[in-house]
Amino acid sequence: MAQVSDHGGGVRSIQVPIPDNPLGHTLVYVVDTDRGPVLIDTGWDDPTSWDTLADGLAACGTSPAGIHGVVVTHHHPDHHGLSGKVREASGAWIAMHEADAALVRRARSTGPGRWMSYMTGKLTAVGAPEDQIAHLRTARPRTGVPGLSPALPDREIVPGELLDLPGRRLRAIWTPGHTPGHVCLHLEEEHPSQLPGHGRLFSGDHLLPRITPHIGLYEDPEDATVTDPLGDYLDSLERVGRLAPAEVLPAHQHAFTDAPARVRELLTHHEDRLTGLLTLLAEPLTPWQLAERMEWNRPWSHIPYASRNIAVSEAEAHLRRLVKLGRAEAVTGTDPVTYVAV
């Protein structure tokens, strides 16, 4: 049975499971509008997830066929995965920020060979050991995996503008970091329980009550732009903190209050982590060597091969930030390139 929560004021959430993932589920929000219910995110593209979403919508008095629109906070498959099926069932529109829509278009057009070549070169450049690269080369081809052919959105979310939700005031707040086109959605309406603050915030993965989102590089085989995702994320956090919503409705875990306090915790966490990395960078290290020495939720030797690729991307994002701040630099002439604290 789907677990459905009523948050008041025409907003409910459905726990849609993510298969084989410690996060457990995505909170899909159902927002009543004058033209019918609109979903914020849809969950993972999996038969059990789809059945759970359908059961949850039935508990809300509707069905996939009754959905008017889908607002996607970001392109990751635990958020955007079922959007296409919802549109097939209902004819609903799908809205997404252009930066993430570009990633969806790329995912649909980039063949597995091109992606494999890019990842092999990237792992070599960061100093990954041969066994890691060999595992990538010998991994079984993935078919039917969510995210490889995601639904193309047909509406653009424009930062700062109200979305077209008749009878509601839902404003898009661009919050890059977790992805380049991540958006939070500010419901500019009085809180149904009269909690102090400014409306409610659907925060996607940007602001979560007990965990920090993954901040890695924005991977794009066709784009050589040097980005700063961690800098983007920290700037976005401060912007959300200044909104001071009465309540935050995140995509994972549970709703919570006092967004400014949570923002301060996350800013402190990342500053502490950057300071700790500078200690590690007392000696020159490749991004891979840095990732091996960073603190994770389990020992490096227990982290699966695929998750190590994600971890080294996060190490690179932190290195980018340190270099931009002038607190670390690349060591000239090293191959693979090493970095050292300044």
Side-chain angles (χ1 to χ4, degrees):
M1 292 293 293
Q3 294 190 43
V4 178
S5 298
D6 190 343
H7 301 276
V11 176
R12 290 168 290 256
S13 64
I14 304 168
Q15 292 187 12
V16 177
I18 310 172
D20 302 319
N21 189 296
L23 278 174
H25 60 265
T26 301
L27 290 171
V28 172
Y29 291 94
V30 185
V31 180
D32 292 340
T33 80
D34 290 348
R35 291 185 189 164
V38 167
L39 300 185
I40 297 178
D41 292 333
T42 56
W44 192 271
D45 184 4
D46 175 81
T48 298
S49 303
W50 173 252
D51 290 345
T52 303
L53 177 63
D55 289 345
L57 291 173
C60 294
T62 184
S63 69
I67 299 304
H68 174 60
V70 175
V71 183
V72 183
T73 61
H74 60 295
H75 74 91
H76 287 164
D78 55 324
H79 297 258
H80 182 42
L82 286 171
S83 299
K85 283 188 170 61
V86 171
R87 181 164 60 191
E88 289 172 8
S90 63
W93 48 260
I94 301 173
M96 184 184 289
H97 188 283
E98 171 55 30
D100 271 22
L103 296 181
V104 168
R105 291 192 293 270
R106 186 204 69 197
R108 293 172 63 92
S109 63
T110 301
R114 173 73 180 91
W115 186 253
M116 186 71 68
S117 175
Y118 166 76
M119 286 302 299
T120 300
K122 173 180 164 53
L123 287 173
T124 301
V126 300
E130 180 55 36
D131 68 313
Q132 181 76 23
I133 299 171
H135 182 269
L136 181 68
R137 292 195 185 106
T138 58
R140 296 178 63 183
R142 299 188 304 166
T143 57
V145 176
L148 295 186
S149 187
L152 286 170
D154 44 63
R155 290 192 182 186
E156 180 181 348
I157 295 175
V158 180
E161 292 191 2
L162 290 172
L163 279 75
D164 183 19
L165 272 62
R168 310 307 299 248
R169 288 187 58 84
L170 189 68
R171 192 176 304 277
I173 311 296
W174 185 34
T175 51
H178 184 55
T179 72
H182 190 290
V183 293
C184 292
L185 302 153
H186 190 201
L187 191 60
E188 299 177 339
E189 300 170 10
E190 187 173 304
H191 193 280
S193 298
Q194 307 298 311
L195 294 180
H198 305 289
R200 291 183 280 181
L201 185 75
F202 299 99
S203 65
D205 281 0
H206 184 69
L207 192 62
L208 302 169
R210 296 196 307 272
I211 57 177
T212 60
H214 166 68
I215 308 296
L217 297 188
Y218 302 146
E219 306 288 7
D220 187 342
E222 310 300 332
D223 189 355
T225 304
V226 178
T227 58
D228 179 20
L230 182 55
D232 292 344
Y233 178 65
L234 298 176
D235 289 344
S236 300
L237 271 181
E238 292 183 343
R239 187 159 59 250
V240 164
R242 289 192 293 270
L243 284 176
E247 187 176 27
V248 178
L249 302 174
H252 304 289
Q253 300 186 313
H254 56 80
F256 62 101
T257 57
D258 203 351
R262 182 59 179 147
V263 165
R264 289 192 296 271
E265 290 176 356
L266 289 167
L267 291 172
T268 299
H269 163 78
H270 283 286
E271 184 57 39
D272 290 346
R273 192 162 210 193
L274 289 170
T275 299
L277 296 190
L278 288 174
T279 301
L280 294 174
L281 291 170
E283 59 174 318
L285 297 173
T286 66
W288 190 271
Q289 290 169 332
L290 183 63
E292 288 179 316
R293 291 161 173 77
M294 290 170 68
E295 290 189 14
W296 305 103
N297 60 0
R298 52 190 148 170
W300 183 259
S301 60
H302 295 175
I303 298 177
Y305 280 102
S307 297
R308 290 180 185 182
N309 294 341
I310 297 171
V312 77
S313 181
E314 187 150 330
E316 288 183 282
H318 282 75
L319 278 171
R320 290 266 182 97
R321 187 65 187 152
L322 288 171
V323 170
K324 185 170 183 178
L325 293 172
R327 298 163 73 180
E329 63 184 10
V331 178
T332 304
T334 54
D335 183 23
V337 64
T338 60
Y339 294 82
V340 67
V342 176

